Amino acid sequence: MTTSTGRIYLLRHGETEWSRSGKHTGRTDVELTERGRDRAVATGALLPRLRGTTDPPALVIASPRIRARVTAELAGLHVDRIDDRLAEWDYGDYEGITTPEIRETVPGWTVWTHPTPGGETAEQVTARADAMLAEAEKHLEQGDVVLVGHGQFSRVLMARWIGLTAAGGQYIAMDPAAWTVLGFEREAHQLAATNVTPALAGG
């Protein structure tokens, strides 16, 4: 287990029309709203404060979705690699519809507790998250790693980092254009900061 001082920084993409309305957005490429673009710029200014340095991270990896790639660019990050493993949970037949709409036919449905027809299972999402975290952790001896992605999948990354199942992500918030920091308490994995936004940080 690493004992490096490097940490993993998760950045969720900025607001889109679909995220604002609660539509499940997995595979669909949706552009940022103007507010989303503004917040992406503002959240980029938080990273040196969170890291305590203006030096570039050792590695920046982004989801292939345009909302993530544009957020990274607006936040001032140089993306070293695009990785499909950082894509959002595949919602299958529920793509583009909201939880209240799904619950009209499946009472009590959540992505955390119920199947997603035509999409990914929790086990498949867990496997992606574990592989992504294992790779990121290998680079921490060189410095900090930034992963730019999505809301639900970032919450799975957080849950898996601290040893919870994927469903543990439902208890952790991740707003658009927010940061979460995955760090260490000695050798133990720790959520060092969660859901840090420009508003919360006074930016």
Side-chain angles (χ1 to χ4, degrees):
M1 184 176 292
T2 184
T3 56
S4 77
T5 56
R7 301 194 293 183
I8 300 171
Y9 292 78
L10 307 181
L11 173 60
R12 181 185 175 186
H13 65 78
E15 179 191 82
T16 68
E17 291 290 353
W18 280 27
S19 69
R20 183 165 61 188
S21 63
K23 292 182 178 180
H24 287 89
T25 320
R27 302 179 303 270
T28 307
D29 250 344
V30 184
E31 298 277 357
L32 300 181
T33 61
E34 282 306 309
R35 172 180 161 83
R37 294 178 65 88
D38 290 344
R39 297 281 281 189
V41 172
T43 208
L46 296 182
L47 186 57
R49 292 165 59 184
L50 287 171
R51 296 181 60 227
T53 179
T54 57
D55 293 341
L59 180 66
V60 179
I61 307 175
S63 157
R65 303 293 174 254
I66 192 167
R67 56 192 182 275
R69 292 187 283 112
V70 169
T71 295
E73 177 184 350
L74 292 171
L77 295 166
H78 171 76
V79 176
D80 297 296
R81 192 174 81 244
I82 300 297
D83 197 312
D84 287 341
R85 291 174 297 178
L86 275 177
E88 181 59 292
W89 198 309
D90 187 338
Y91 300 115
D93 297 348
Y94 294 154
E95 181 81 2
I97 59 178
T98 67
T99 295
E101 290 171 332
I102 297 168
R103 287 182 170 183
E104 291 175 6
T105 54
V106 187
W109 183 89
T110 76
V111 72
W112 309 105
T113 56
H114 289 64
T116 304
E120 285 183 292
T121 65
E123 290 76 19
Q124 289 171 320
V125 175
T126 296
R128 278 204 287 130
D130 289 353
M132 196 74 253
L133 289 170
E135 177 172 347
E137 195 166 1
K138 288 179 183 177
H139 289 274
L140 293 182
E141 289 187 3
Q142 284 76 52
D144 295 328
V145 174
V146 176
L147 305 179
V148 187
H150 306 270
Q152 305 283 44
F153 189 66
S154 290
R155 292 161 74 187
V156 174
L157 289 170
M158 291 182 238
R160 295 302 296 157
W161 182 253
I162 58 173
L164 302 179
T165 65
Q170 67 189 298
Y171 305 112
I172 313 169
M174 188 66 164
D175 292 335
W179 290 99
T180 284
V181 184
L182 308 183
F184 300 89
E185 171 62 32
R186 297 183 174 83
E187 293 81 15
H189 286 184
Q190 178 188 70
L191 297 182
T194 61
N195 204 36
V196 180
T197 66
L200 289 175

